[in-house]
Amino acid sequence: MPKFFILWVSAVAALLLGGCAAKHYSVSEPKMIVIKSPKLKFADTGYIRHEGDAVEVELFTAGVAVEKITIDKEVCVSAGCMSEAKFVKEYLYPDYPADTMRRILQGSDIFGGDHKEELCKGAVYQTIRNDDMDIIYRRKGGEIYFKDRLNALMIKITDLKENNATE
């Protein structure tokens, strides 16, 4: 009986302390976020949090959290969790690389850095054009802008601190 009790207590402790623990992110930034895709439409404030490759976006409307997108080993949204490839296929476009959303949220190169141009004052542009997509991806001065004109997708992320400083 004591062995069973110790085993049971150990299992419960491991579950409470490890498996269900919330991820702690070292960076949490307030942003103005606009997302227009076939399955997700949003334009308001939010937070982008990240730690290494893990990214979380919490979207707010009138101060109330309305959606959370967490990207780590898989992508979790209010509808459930799925692989990054499935998320990109369902929420963005099937021919995009699986890490496209993660990289946009992190403000890093997409499509392996294809057609990347670095301009003055730290601006970075990528254009990807073929029969299936017409993408403009721009990062500069506290703003990330992604638009695919052929597939009616747009993601714009603006740093609220930058916005407030220029007004």
Side-chain angles (χ1 to χ4, degrees):
M1 184 79 162
K3 289 181 185 178
F4 175 73
F5 178 74
I6 292 171
L7 182 62
W8 183 79
V9 169
S10 297
V12 169
L15 181 64
L16 292 175
L17 297 175
C20 296
K23 177 95 174 150
H24 293 284
Y25 298 94
S26 62
V27 178
S28 180
E29 301 170 319
K31 305 284 185 179
M32 179 65 184
I33 302 170
V34 177
I35 302 173
K36 294 178 184 175
S37 79
K39 284 187 103 172
L40 187 59
K41 296 187 184 339
F42 178 83
D44 212 327
T45 57
Y47 279 88
I48 296 181
R49 300 175 180 102
H50 55 91
E51 177 69 40
D53 275 345
V55 181
E56 177 182 89
V57 180
E58 193 166 12
L59 306 172
F60 293 85
T61 298
V64 177
V66 294
E67 180 67 80
K68 186 184 288 189
I69 302 170
T70 304
I71 304 173
D72 198 357
K73 292 175 177 62
E74 49 184 11
V75 180
C76 295
V77 294
S78 58
C81 296
M82 62 196 84
S83 70
E84 270 189 279
K86 184 174 180 182
F87 175 84
V88 167
K89 184 178 280 191
E90 287 186 21
Y91 285 80
L92 299 179
Y93 185 70
D95 291 342
Y96 292 172
D99 63 353
T100 301
M101 185 67 159
R102 176 193 308 261
R103 294 187 152 287
I104 292 169
L105 295 173
Q106 291 174 328
S108 55
D109 295 346
I110 58 171
F111 288 77
D114 288 350
H115 308 286
K116 176 179 167 182
E117 295 180 52
E118 294 186 31
L119 305 174
C120 59
K121 297 184 181 179
V124 179
Y125 286 84
Q126 282 184 261
T127 53
I128 294 113
R129 291 187 175 101
N130 60 37
D131 292 341
D132 298 321
M133 58 191 83
D134 183 4
I135 296 172
I136 296 170
Y137 179 51
R138 176 181 71 226
R139 298 166 281 160
K140 67 175 185 175
E143 180 181 276
I144 298 167
Y145 178 80
F146 172 94
K147 184 169 187 171
D148 184 341
R149 290 182 266 212
L150 290 181
N151 296 296
L153 294 167
M154 199 263 290
I155 300 170
K156 183 177 179 182
I157 302 167
T158 308
D159 189 338
L160 287 178
K161 291 181 274 187
E162 289 287 328
N163 248 4
N164 291 338
T166 58
E167 291 181 4

